[in-house]
Amino acid sequence: MPSLGELERTIMDVLWRASSACTAKQVQDSLITRDLATTTVLTVLGRLEHKGFVVRQRVGRAHQYRATATREDHIAELMTDALGTAPDRTAALARFLGGIDESERVTARRLLG
Amino acid sequence: MVIVGLVLLGTGLVLAEPASAAMARATWPTRAPATALLVWQGLGLGAGIAFLSSGVLLALSSPLLLSAALWGITASLAVRLLGVLIITGVRTLRARRRHRQLLDLIATPWPDRPGAAVLDHPTPVAYCLPGLHSRLVVSRGVLDMLTGPQLEAVVAHERAHLAERHDLVVLPFVAWGATLPWLSGVLRSQLAVAQLLEMRADDVAATQCGAKHLAAALHRVSSHAGFTSGPSVSDFGSAANRRARRVLSR
């Protein structure tokens, strides 16, 4: 049994590759390497929706799912955090190089008035 | 009581201003960052407690009108300090959770290293996401750029941040630095603590993996063009140089 994390990655990959919104059944069918129950797919989609990576929309009687952002957008978001270039930063992560110097500069600027 | 209150007020002022300025000027902290971090924490805690308790003591022993004003000031200071700490803590946790969830979807787990992941991006970055479910992340750019031992030094540096929970050390300084930016002592401490934590992690990495490799990693990562944009490149390079020189001269 693959872990939930693995399933989330697999299903996100399907949605990122898909050109349009997919139903749970379509997601299930495109998972050629894995034979998952529809309920499992729905559970994982629900988790992804809760985390904000997937939106659900009702089309007729079916629910369709699509990714809220492209994979590239998400990578860009991670890199923005990682490089400390976002305007409102908390001490969320510790960088090998970079973040400290940024705060140093801001602090120095404030100290200098 | 008035005298004790005034003495405490004076103590708070001395800790917040001349004492923090002296600490910021001192050179010994670069040789003993762990001790210096304790001193900064002591200064911060001491000044806070001195200010608040002097407020209470003076309020208790003042005439009615002045007393009400002093209670108001003391209470609002206490609420603000605590409130900001909580808000910053919650915001930090939220930002970290979002980042971790994204990482878990996108980054490739690093074989044989639990909690470590590789981000498929050419820009060299290495960082850690502290917390109960911590993550250590390096980009493909870092993997391509560093030799094996240099990479181990970077990993050891990040693991030191995680193991010693440097995020918790820095949190109150970041939080209070954001609310009391007009107090130069607070800003000074924020700056010093951030640098000392890097020194501390550098010391751990240099001891485990060799100062030579850590210094080489610092040089390589910092000299990479396009790592940061604009005028920050030089600051950034000089900060890395300072760190490299320090670990080599230990």
Side-chain angles (χ1 to χ4, degrees):
Chain A
M1 189 63 197
S3 71
L4 262 177
E6 257 176 81
L7 290 178
E8 289 180 5
R9 293 168 69 99
T10 316
I11 288 181
M12 271 322 283
D13 282 337
V14 169
L15 292 178
W16 276 324
R17 272 198 308 268
S19 46
S20 57
C22 302
T23 61
K25 182 81 180 89
Q26 286 168 325
V27 171
Q28 187 189 9
D29 290 344
S30 46
L31 295 169
I32 9 162
T33 49
R34 288 218 175 99
D35 197 15
L36 291 177
T38 318
T39 49
T40 313
V41 174
L42 281 170
T43 304
V44 176
L45 283 168
R47 283 175 62 94
L48 290 167
E49 188 187 359
H50 180 71
K51 290 181 183 175
F53 298 126
V54 160
V55 280
R56 182 171 48 147
Q57 62 208 55
R58 225 188 142 92
V59 181
R61 272 199 292 167
H63 287 286
Q64 290 190 334
Y65 298 84
R66 65 179 167 78
T68 46
T70 64
R71 199 168 198 280
E72 290 66 37
D73 288 342
H74 283 315
I75 293 182
E77 185 186 340
L78 285 175
M79 289 304 288
T80 305
D81 280 0
L83 290 168
T85 43
D88 177 37
R89 286 193 302 111
T90 49
L93 34 100
R95 299 162 191 86
F96 180 58
L97 266 176
I100 297 312
D101 307 287
E102 173 66 23
S103 78
E104 189 177 325
R105 234 179 7 262
V106 172
T107 308
R109 213 178 292 138
R110 276 198 238 150
L111 273 179
L112 294 170
Chain B
M1 209 140 66
V2 178
I3 293 173
V4 180
L6 288 174
V7 167
L8 281 169
L9 183 65
T11 310
L13 288 172
V14 167
L15 291 180
E17 201 36 53
S20 78
M23 250 318 261
R25 272 196 312 272
T27 52
W28 66 265
T30 58
R31 293 186 298 276
T35 313
L37 282 165
L38 283 176
V39 173
W40 278 112
Q41 287 175 315
L43 278 179
L45 200 63
I49 290 173
F51 279 130
L52 292 177
S53 53
S54 77
V56 170
L57 285 180
L58 292 174
L60 284 174
S61 48
S62 297
L64 196 60
L65 205 62
L66 184 61
S67 168
L70 284 170
W71 276 122
I73 293 170
T74 310
S76 62
L77 182 65
V79 167
R80 180 150 194 190
L81 289 178
L82 196 67
V84 163
L85 189 61
I86 293 170
I87 290 168
T88 311
V90 169
R91 240 185 237 156
T92 306
L93 285 179
R94 215 178 277 154
R96 257 182 221 154
R97 192 183 54 210
R98 163 87 183 167
H99 193 98
R100 193 180 58 239
Q101 288 175 342
L102 264 180
L103 269 181
D104 290 349
L105 282 183
I106 285 169
T108 318
W110 197 343
D112 306 325
R113 288 183 201 255
V118 178
L119 197 54
D120 188 15
H121 200 280
T123 303
V125 284
Y127 61 95
C128 60
L129 204 59
L132 283 180
H133 310 278
S134 66
R135 297 284 184 278
L136 195 157
V137 186
V138 297
S139 67
R140 181 165 45 79
V142 162
L143 290 182
D144 290 346
M145 173 180 294
L146 300 183
T147 65
Q150 290 166 0
L151 185 62
E152 290 310 317
V154 172
V155 170
H157 174 102
E158 296 304 326
R159 289 236 190 266
H161 281 319
L162 291 178
E164 297 182 0
R165 289 309 303 259
H166 290 172
D167 58 308
L168 296 181
V169 178
V170 86
L171 182 70
F173 292 96
V174 169
W176 294 330
T179 37
L180 307 166
W182 57 87
L183 287 181
S184 50
V186 176
L187 271 181
R188 251 183 235 127
S189 66
Q190 190 188 349
L191 170 58
V193 165
Q195 287 176 333
L196 289 167
L197 288 172
E198 292 310 310
M199 292 180 199
R200 170 67 196 152
D202 281 345
D203 285 351
V204 173
T207 307
Q208 284 176 10
C209 308
K212 192 179 66 174
H213 297 305
L214 178 64
L218 281 164
H219 279 309
R220 284 228 179 152
V221 176
S222 71
S223 64
H224 183 268
F227 184 80
T228 52
S229 55
S232 55
V233 173
S234 57
D235 295 0
F236 182 75
S238 65
N241 274 333
R242 267 203 309 278
R243 276 170 58 189
R245 270 202 308 276
R246 195 187 77 87
V247 291
L248 288 174
S249 64
R250 277 189 336 142

mmCIF file of all heavy atoms in Angstrom, chain A residues 3-44:
data_model
loop_
_atom_site.group_PDB
_atom_site.id
_atom_site.type_symbol
_atom_site.label_atom_id
_atom_site.label_comp_id
_atom_site.label_asym_id
_atom_site.label_seq_id
_atom_site.Cartn_x
_atom_site.Cartn_y
_atom_site.Cartn_z
ATOM 1 N N SER A 3 2.003 5.170 0.425
ATOM 2 C CA SER A 3 1.621 6.134 1.460
ATOM 3 C C SER A 3 0.703 7.197 0.869
ATOM 4 O O SER A 3 0.644 7.392 -0.343
ATOM 5 C CB SER A 3 2.867 6.794 2.023
ATOM 6 O OG SER A 3 3.412 7.659 1.050
ATOM 7 N N LEU A 4 -0.022 7.884 1.758
ATOM 8 C CA LEU A 4 -0.916 8.961 1.311
ATOM 9 C C LEU A 4 -0.147 10.025 0.548
ATOM 10 O O LEU A 4 -0.616 10.529 -0.467
ATOM 11 C CB LEU A 4 -1.581 9.600 2.529
ATOM 12 C CG LEU A 4 -2.997 9.132 2.865
ATOM 13 C CD1 LEU A 4 -3.468 9.813 4.135
ATOM 14 C CD2 LEU A 4 -3.949 9.428 1.721
ATOM 15 N N GLY A 5 1.049 10.329 1.055
ATOM 16 C CA GLY A 5 1.866 11.340 0.393
ATOM 17 C C GLY A 5 2.165 10.953 -1.050
ATOM 18 O O GLY A 5 2.062 11.769 -1.962
ATOM 19 N N GLU A 6 2.529 9.693 -1.245
ATOM 20 C CA GLU A 6 2.815 9.205 -2.596
ATOM 21 C C GLU A 6 1.596 9.306 -3.486
ATOM 22 O O GLU A 6 1.695 9.707 -4.652
ATOM 23 C CB GLU A 6 3.224 7.733 -2.516
ATOM 24 C CG GLU A 6 4.687 7.457 -2.655
ATOM 25 C CD GLU A 6 4.933 5.976 -2.446
ATOM 26 O OE1 GLU A 6 4.721 5.213 -3.391
ATOM 27 O OE2 GLU A 6 5.290 5.602 -1.308
ATOM 28 N N LEU A 7 0.434 8.920 -2.943
ATOM 29 C CA LEU A 7 -0.806 8.993 -3.727
ATOM 30 C C LEU A 7 -1.104 10.438 -4.111
ATOM 31 O O LEU A 7 -1.514 10.717 -5.233
ATOM 32 C CB LEU A 7 -1.977 8.418 -2.933
ATOM 33 C CG LEU A 7 -1.959 6.912 -2.710
ATOM 34 C CD1 LEU A 7 -3.153 6.477 -1.879
ATOM 35 C CD2 LEU A 7 -1.962 6.185 -4.052
ATOM 36 N N GLU A 8 -0.893 11.338 -3.161
ATOM 37 C CA GLU A 8 -1.147 12.755 -3.465
ATOM 38 C C GLU A 8 -0.251 13.221 -4.602
ATOM 39 O O GLU A 8 -0.697 13.926 -5.503
ATOM 40 C CB GLU A 8 -0.922 13.610 -2.214
ATOM 41 C CG GLU A 8 -2.007 13.408 -1.170
ATOM 42 C CD GLU A 8 -1.790 14.248 0.084
ATOM 43 O OE1 GLU A 8 -0.845 15.061 0.104
ATOM 44 O OE2 GLU A 8 -2.578 14.085 1.030
ATOM 45 N N ARG A 9 1.007 12.835 -4.558
ATOM 46 C CA ARG A 9 1.931 13.232 -5.635
ATOM 47 C C ARG A 9 1.477 12.671 -6.973
ATOM 48 O O ARG A 9 1.444 13.379 -7.978
ATOM 49 C CB ARG A 9 3.339 12.689 -5.351
ATOM 50 C CG ARG A 9 4.018 13.297 -4.165
ATOM 51 C CD ARG A 9 5.254 12.489 -3.821
ATOM 52 N NE ARG A 9 6.278 12.642 -4.835
ATOM 53 C CZ ARG A 9 7.300 13.472 -4.708
ATOM 54 N NH1 ARG A 9 7.428 14.192 -3.618
ATOM 55 N NH2 ARG A 9 8.201 13.565 -5.645
ATOM 56 N N THR A 10 1.115 11.382 -6.969
ATOM 57 C CA THR A 10 0.712 10.731 -8.216
ATOM 58 C C THR A 10 -0.504 11.411 -8.818
ATOM 59 O O THR A 10 -0.560 11.687 -10.020
ATOM 60 C CB THR A 10 0.381 9.248 -7.935
ATOM 61 O OG1 THR A 10 1.379 8.728 -7.082
ATOM 62 C CG2 THR A 10 0.327 8.453 -9.217
ATOM 63 N N ILE A 11 -1.489 11.685 -7.963
ATOM 64 C CA ILE A 11 -2.740 12.262 -8.474
ATOM 65 C C ILE A 11 -2.528 13.712 -8.921
ATOM 66 O O ILE A 11 -3.081 14.146 -9.930
ATOM 67 C CB ILE A 11 -3.855 12.101 -7.425
ATOM 68 C CG1 ILE A 11 -4.244 10.616 -7.388
ATOM 69 C CG2 ILE A 11 -5.057 12.988 -7.736
ATOM 70 C CD1 ILE A 11 -5.336 10.254 -6.449
ATOM 71 N N MET A 12 -1.681 14.453 -8.173
ATOM 72 C CA MET A 12 -1.383 15.816 -8.622
ATOM 73 C C MET A 12 -0.701 15.776 -9.986
ATOM 74 O O MET A 12 -0.982 16.607 -10.852
ATOM 75 C CB MET A 12 -0.464 16.528 -7.623
ATOM 76 C CG MET A 12 -1.127 17.290 -6.504
ATOM 77 S SD MET A 12 -2.628 18.185 -6.899
ATOM 78 C CE MET A 12 -2.022 19.629 -7.749
ATOM 79 N N ASP A 13 0.183 14.815 -10.174
ATOM 80 C CA ASP A 13 0.861 14.712 -11.473
ATOM 81 C C ASP A 13 -0.144 14.503 -12.596
ATOM 82 O O ASP A 13 -0.017 15.093 -13.673
ATOM 83 C CB ASP A 13 1.890 13.568 -11.445
ATOM 84 C CG ASP A 13 3.158 13.982 -10.718
ATOM 85 O OD1 ASP A 13 3.410 15.206 -10.647
ATOM 86 O OD2 ASP A 13 3.876 13.107 -10.213
ATOM 87 N N VAL A 14 -1.159 13.686 -12.321
ATOM 88 C CA VAL A 14 -2.199 13.464 -13.335
ATOM 89 C C VAL A 14 -2.899 14.786 -13.656
ATOM 90 O O VAL A 14 -3.063 15.159 -14.817
ATOM 91 C CB VAL A 14 -3.233 12.419 -12.834
ATOM 92 C CG1 VAL A 14 -4.446 12.391 -13.760
ATOM 93 C CG2 VAL A 14 -2.596 11.055 -12.728
ATOM 94 N N LEU A 15 -3.279 15.517 -12.600
ATOM 95 C CA LEU A 15 -4.011 16.765 -12.827
ATOM 96 C C LEU A 15 -3.141 17.819 -13.505
ATOM 97 O O LEU A 15 -3.623 18.622 -14.290
ATOM 98 C CB LEU A 15 -4.558 17.302 -11.494
ATOM 99 C CG LEU A 15 -5.665 16.461 -10.855
ATOM 100 C CD1 LEU A 15 -6.083 17.052 -9.524
ATOM 101 C CD2 LEU A 15 -6.874 16.348 -11.779
ATOM 102 N N TRP A 16 -1.852 17.816 -13.173
ATOM 103 C CA TRP A 16 -0.955 18.794 -13.811
ATOM 104 C C TRP A 16 -0.779 18.483 -15.295
ATOM 105 O O TRP A 16 -0.634 19.371 -16.117
ATOM 106 C CB TRP A 16 0.412 18.807 -13.113
ATOM 107 C CG TRP A 16 0.433 19.672 -11.895
ATOM 108 C CD1 TRP A 16 -0.235 20.848 -11.740
ATOM 109 C CD2 TRP A 16 1.137 19.444 -10.671
ATOM 110 N NE1 TRP A 16 0.015 21.368 -10.484
ATOM 111 C CE2 TRP A 16 0.854 20.521 -9.815
ATOM 112 C CE3 TRP A 16 1.977 18.426 -10.207
ATOM 113 C CZ2 TRP A 16 1.382 20.621 -8.529
ATOM 114 C CZ3 TRP A 16 2.506 18.522 -8.946
ATOM 115 C CH2 TRP A 16 2.204 19.614 -8.102
ATOM 116 N N ARG A 17 -0.766 17.201 -15.621
ATOM 117 C CA ARG A 17 -0.585 16.817 -17.031
ATOM 118 C C ARG A 17 -1.860 17.019 -17.834
ATOM 119 O O ARG A 17 -1.818 17.286 -19.025
ATOM 120 C CB ARG A 17 -0.138 15.356 -17.121
ATOM 121 C CG ARG A 17 1.366 15.174 -17.037
ATOM 122 C CD ARG A 17 1.750 13.811 -17.564
ATOM 123 N NE ARG A 17 0.992 12.734 -16.947
ATOM 124 C CZ ARG A 17 1.395 12.079 -15.860
ATOM 125 N NH1 ARG A 17 2.526 12.370 -15.287
ATOM 126 N NH2 ARG A 17 0.664 11.109 -15.360
ATOM 127 N N ALA A 18 -3.015 16.890 -17.150
ATOM 128 C CA ALA A 18 -4.284 16.959 -17.860
ATOM 129 C C ALA A 18 -4.497 18.361 -18.436
ATOM 130 O O ALA A 18 -4.153 19.355 -17.810
ATOM 131 C CB ALA A 18 -5.426 16.605 -16.922
ATOM 132 N N SER A 19 -5.083 18.421 -19.614
ATOM 133 C CA SER A 19 -5.288 19.731 -20.232
ATOM 134 C C SER A 19 -6.560 20.395 -19.711
ATOM 135 O O SER A 19 -6.711 21.602 -19.781
ATOM 136 C CB SER A 19 -5.340 19.582 -21.751
ATOM 137 O OG SER A 19 -6.178 18.500 -22.092
ATOM 138 N N SER A 20 -7.471 19.619 -19.169
ATOM 139 C CA SER A 20 -8.700 20.211 -18.645
ATOM 140 C C SER A 20 -9.041 19.531 -17.316
ATOM 141 O O SER A 20 -8.340 18.624 -16.877
ATOM 142 C CB SER A 20 -9.835 20.023 -19.645
ATOM 143 O OG SER A 20 -9.972 18.647 -19.911
ATOM 144 N N ALA A 21 -10.131 20.003 -16.706
ATOM 145 C CA ALA A 21 -10.554 19.432 -15.429
ATOM 146 C C ALA A 21 -10.955 17.965 -15.612
ATOM 147 O O ALA A 21 -11.454 17.580 -16.668
ATOM 148 C CB ALA A 21 -11.722 20.234 -14.871
ATOM 149 N N CYS A 22 -10.712 17.158 -14.571
ATOM 150 C CA CYS A 22 -10.985 15.723 -14.664
ATOM 151 C C CYS A 22 -11.976 15.302 -13.596
ATOM 152 O O CYS A 22 -11.980 15.857 -12.497
ATOM 153 C CB CYS A 22 -9.722 14.915 -14.405
ATOM 154 S SG CYS A 22 -8.371 15.279 -15.485
ATOM 155 N N THR A 23 -12.768 14.296 -13.909
ATOM 156 C CA THR A 23 -13.578 13.676 -12.866
ATOM 157 C C THR A 23 -12.698 12.668 -12.133
ATOM 158 O O THR A 23 -11.627 12.296 -12.623
ATOM 159 C CB THR A 23 -14.774 12.925 -13.476
ATOM 160 O OG1 THR A 23 -14.257 11.894 -14.329
ATOM 161 C CG2 THR A 23 -15.650 13.857 -14.296
ATOM 162 N N ALA A 24 -13.179 12.240 -10.976
ATOM 163 C CA ALA A 24 -12.419 11.260 -10.202
ATOM 164 C C ALA A 24 -12.213 9.985 -11.022
ATOM 165 O O ALA A 24 -11.149 9.357 -10.964
ATOM 166 C CB ALA A 24 -13.148 10.945 -8.903
ATOM 167 N N LYS A 25 -13.235 9.648 -11.805
ATOM 168 C CA LYS A 25 -13.145 8.444 -12.639
ATOM 169 C C LYS A 25 -12.029 8.584 -13.679
ATOM 170 O O LYS A 25 -11.254 7.643 -13.891
ATOM 171 C CB LYS A 25 -14.511 8.242 -13.334
ATOM 172 C CG LYS A 25 -14.604 7.007 -14.208
ATOM 173 C CD LYS A 25 -14.889 5.775 -13.348
ATOM 174 C CE LYS A 25 -14.981 4.505 -14.201
ATOM 175 N NZ LYS A 25 -13.672 3.863 -14.369
ATOM 176 N N GLN A 26 -11.959 9.763 -14.285
ATOM 177 C CA GLN A 26 -10.904 9.986 -15.290
ATOM 178 C C GLN A 26 -9.518 9.915 -14.648
ATOM 179 O O GLN A 26 -8.584 9.360 -15.234
ATOM 180 C CB GLN A 26 -11.101 11.354 -15.969
ATOM 181 C CG GLN A 26 -12.258 11.375 -16.948
ATOM 182 C CD GLN A 26 -12.620 12.787 -17.395
ATOM 183 O OE1 GLN A 26 -12.520 13.737 -16.620
ATOM 184 N NE2 GLN A 26 -13.047 12.918 -18.637
ATOM 185 N N VAL A 27 -9.414 10.481 -13.434
ATOM 186 C CA VAL A 27 -8.138 10.407 -12.727
ATOM 187 C C VAL A 27 -7.787 8.947 -12.485
ATOM 188 O O VAL A 27 -6.668 8.493 -12.752
ATOM 189 C CB VAL A 27 -8.210 11.175 -11.386
ATOM 190 C CG1 VAL A 27 -6.952 10.919 -10.559
ATOM 191 C CG2 VAL A 27 -8.383 12.661 -11.624
ATOM 192 N N GLN A 28 -8.771 8.229 -11.992
ATOM 193 C CA GLN A 28 -8.563 6.811 -11.682
ATOM 194 C C GLN A 28 -8.090 6.055 -12.924
ATOM 195 O O GLN A 28 -7.160 5.253 -12.857
ATOM 196 C CB GLN A 28 -9.877 6.227 -11.173
ATOM 197 C CG GLN A 28 -9.775 4.821 -10.650
ATOM 198 C CD GLN A 28 -11.143 4.246 -10.368
ATOM 199 O OE1 GLN A 28 -12.169 4.841 -10.712
ATOM 200 N NE2 GLN A 28 -11.168 3.087 -9.732
ATOM 201 N N ASP A 29 -8.747 6.337 -14.072
ATOM 202 C CA ASP A 29 -8.409 5.617 -15.295
ATOM 203 C C ASP A 29 -7.019 5.950 -15.813
ATOM 204 O O ASP A 29 -6.373 5.112 -16.451
ATOM 205 C CB ASP A 29 -9.435 5.928 -16.398
ATOM 206 C CG ASP A 29 -10.786 5.306 -16.081
ATOM 207 O OD1 ASP A 29 -10.815 4.412 -15.202
ATOM 208 O OD2 ASP A 29 -11.800 5.724 -16.676
ATOM 209 N N SER A 30 -6.554 7.166 -15.558
ATOM 210 C CA SER A 30 -5.240 7.498 -16.092
ATOM 211 C C SER A 30 -4.101 7.004 -15.198
ATOM 212 O O SER A 30 -2.936 7.161 -15.539
ATOM 213 C CB SER A 30 -5.121 9.005 -16.331
ATOM 214 O OG SER A 30 -5.602 9.699 -15.226
ATOM 215 N N LEU A 31 -4.453 6.431 -14.056
ATOM 216 C CA LEU A 31 -3.417 5.859 -13.199
ATOM 217 C C LEU A 31 -3.157 4.432 -13.655
ATOM 218 O O LEU A 31 -3.587 3.475 -13.008
ATOM 219 C CB LEU A 31 -3.852 5.872 -11.726
ATOM 220 C CG LEU A 31 -4.028 7.248 -11.102
ATOM 221 C CD1 LEU A 31 -4.703 7.123 -9.753
ATOM 222 C CD2 LEU A 31 -2.677 7.907 -10.943
ATOM 223 N N ILE A 32 -2.446 4.307 -14.764
ATOM 224 C CA ILE A 32 -2.271 2.975 -15.330
ATOM 225 C C ILE A 32 -1.427 2.081 -14.424
ATOM 226 O O ILE A 32 -1.643 0.886 -14.344
ATOM 227 C CB ILE A 32 -1.591 3.029 -16.728
ATOM 228 C CG1 ILE A 32 -1.116 4.457 -16.959
ATOM 229 C CG2 ILE A 32 -2.525 2.554 -17.830
ATOM 230 C CD1 ILE A 32 -0.105 4.633 -18.016
ATOM 231 N N THR A 33 -0.481 2.715 -13.747
ATOM 232 C CA THR A 33 0.431 1.895 -12.955
ATOM 233 C C THR A 33 -0.200 1.425 -11.647
ATOM 234 O O THR A 33 0.295 0.515 -11.013
ATOM 235 C CB THR A 33 1.696 2.687 -12.604
ATOM 236 O OG1 THR A 33 1.282 3.955 -12.089
ATOM 237 C CG2 THR A 33 2.562 2.885 -13.823
ATOM 238 N N ARG A 34 -1.284 2.069 -11.265
ATOM 239 C CA ARG A 34 -1.865 1.721 -9.969
ATOM 240 C C ARG A 34 -3.334 1.419 -10.111
ATOM 241 O O ARG A 34 -4.054 2.132 -10.805
ATOM 242 C CB ARG A 34 -1.709 2.895 -8.992
ATOM 243 C CG ARG A 34 -0.309 3.074 -8.543
ATOM 244 C CD ARG A 34 -0.293 3.468 -7.090
ATOM 245 N NE ARG A 34 1.092 3.529 -6.634
ATOM 246 C CZ ARG A 34 1.779 4.661 -6.540
ATOM 247 N NH1 ARG A 34 1.207 5.788 -6.788
ATOM 248 N NH2 ARG A 34 3.022 4.628 -6.127
ATOM 249 N N ASP A 35 -3.745 0.413 -9.413
ATOM 250 C CA ASP A 35 -5.153 0.069 -9.420
ATOM 251 C C ASP A 35 -5.763 0.564 -8.113
ATOM 252 O O ASP A 35 -5.667 -0.097 -7.083
ATOM 253 C CB ASP A 35 -5.303 -1.449 -9.552
ATOM 254 C CG ASP A 35 -6.712 -1.810 -9.973
ATOM 255 O OD1 ASP A 35 -7.433 -0.899 -10.414
ATOM 256 O OD2 ASP A 35 -7.079 -2.986 -9.846
ATOM 257 N N LEU A 36 -6.359 1.755 -8.162
ATOM 258 C CA LEU A 36 -6.898 2.338 -6.933
ATOM 259 C C LEU A 36 -8.424 2.330 -6.967
ATOM 260 O O LEU A 36 -9.026 2.515 -8.028
ATOM 261 C CB LEU A 36 -6.438 3.789 -6.792
ATOM 262 C CG LEU A 36 -4.970 4.034 -6.521
ATOM 263 C CD1 LEU A 36 -4.704 5.523 -6.482
ATOM 264 C CD2 LEU A 36 -4.561 3.390 -5.205
ATOM 265 N N ALA A 37 -9.015 2.160 -5.788
ATOM 266 C CA ALA A 37 -10.473 2.239 -5.704
ATOM 267 C C ALA A 37 -10.907 3.690 -5.891
ATOM 268 O O ALA A 37 -10.168 4.611 -5.541
ATOM 269 C CB ALA A 37 -10.930 1.733 -4.343
ATOM 270 N N THR A 38 -12.093 3.895 -6.466
ATOM 271 C CA THR A 38 -12.595 5.258 -6.666
ATOM 272 C C THR A 38 -12.662 6.007 -5.340
ATOM 273 O O THR A 38 -12.362 7.203 -5.284
ATOM 274 C CB THR A 38 -13.995 5.223 -7.295
ATOM 275 O OG1 THR A 38 -14.016 4.225 -8.297
ATOM 276 C CG2 THR A 38 -14.349 6.563 -7.917
ATOM 277 N N THR A 39 -13.065 5.294 -4.293
ATOM 278 C CA THR A 39 -13.168 5.977 -2.990
ATOM 279 C C THR A 39 -11.812 6.502 -2.548
ATOM 280 O O THR A 39 -11.706 7.595 -1.989
ATOM 281 C CB THR A 39 -13.703 5.017 -1.908
ATOM 282 O OG1 THR A 39 -12.954 3.809 -1.987
ATOM 283 C CG2 THR A 39 -15.172 4.723 -2.105
ATOM 284 N N THR A 40 -10.760 5.726 -2.834
ATOM 285 C CA THR A 40 -9.412 6.179 -2.465
ATOM 286 C C THR A 40 -9.060 7.443 -3.241
ATOM 287 O O THR A 40 -8.554 8.417 -2.670
ATOM 288 C CB THR A 40 -8.369 5.082 -2.772
ATOM 289 O OG1 THR A 40 -8.856 3.847 -2.260
ATOM 290 C CG2 THR A 40 -7.029 5.426 -2.170
ATOM 291 N N VAL A 41 -9.346 7.413 -4.547
ATOM 292 C CA VAL A 41 -9.057 8.586 -5.375
ATOM 293 C C VAL A 41 -9.818 9.799 -4.845
ATOM 294 O O VAL A 41 -9.263 10.897 -4.716
ATOM 295 C CB VAL A 41 -9.421 8.305 -6.859
ATOM 296 C CG1 VAL A 41 -9.258 9.562 -7.693
ATOM 297 C CG2 VAL A 41 -8.556 7.191 -7.408
ATOM 298 N N LEU A 42 -11.086 9.581 -4.487
ATOM 299 C CA LEU A 42 -11.896 10.694 -3.960
ATOM 300 C C LEU A 42 -11.333 11.212 -2.643
ATOM 301 O O LEU A 42 -11.309 12.418 -2.403
ATOM 302 C CB LEU A 42 -13.353 10.237 -3.771
ATOM 303 C CG LEU A 42 -14.174 10.203 -5.054
ATOM 304 C CD1 LEU A 42 -15.519 9.518 -4.820
ATOM 305 C CD2 LEU A 42 -14.407 11.621 -5.595
ATOM 306 N N THR A 43 -10.891 10.289 -1.792
ATOM 307 C CA THR A 43 -10.307 10.709 -0.515
ATOM 308 C C THR A 43 -9.083 11.581 -0.748
ATOM 309 O O THR A 43 -8.937 12.652 -0.158
ATOM 310 C CB THR A 43 -9.880 9.466 0.307
ATOM 311 O OG1 THR A 43 -11.016 8.628 0.454
ATOM 312 C CG2 THR A 43 -9.347 9.868 1.664
ATOM 313 N N VAL A 44 -8.219 11.128 -1.638
ATOM 314 C CA VAL A 44 -6.988 11.874 -1.896
ATOM 315 C C VAL A 44 -7.314 13.226 -2.535
ATOM 316 O O VAL A 44 -6.752 14.257 -2.148
ATOM 317 C CB VAL A 44 -6.031 11.045 -2.789
ATOM 318 C CG1 VAL A 44 -4.793 11.854 -3.137
ATOM 319 C CG2 VAL A 44 -5.630 9.763 -2.086
#
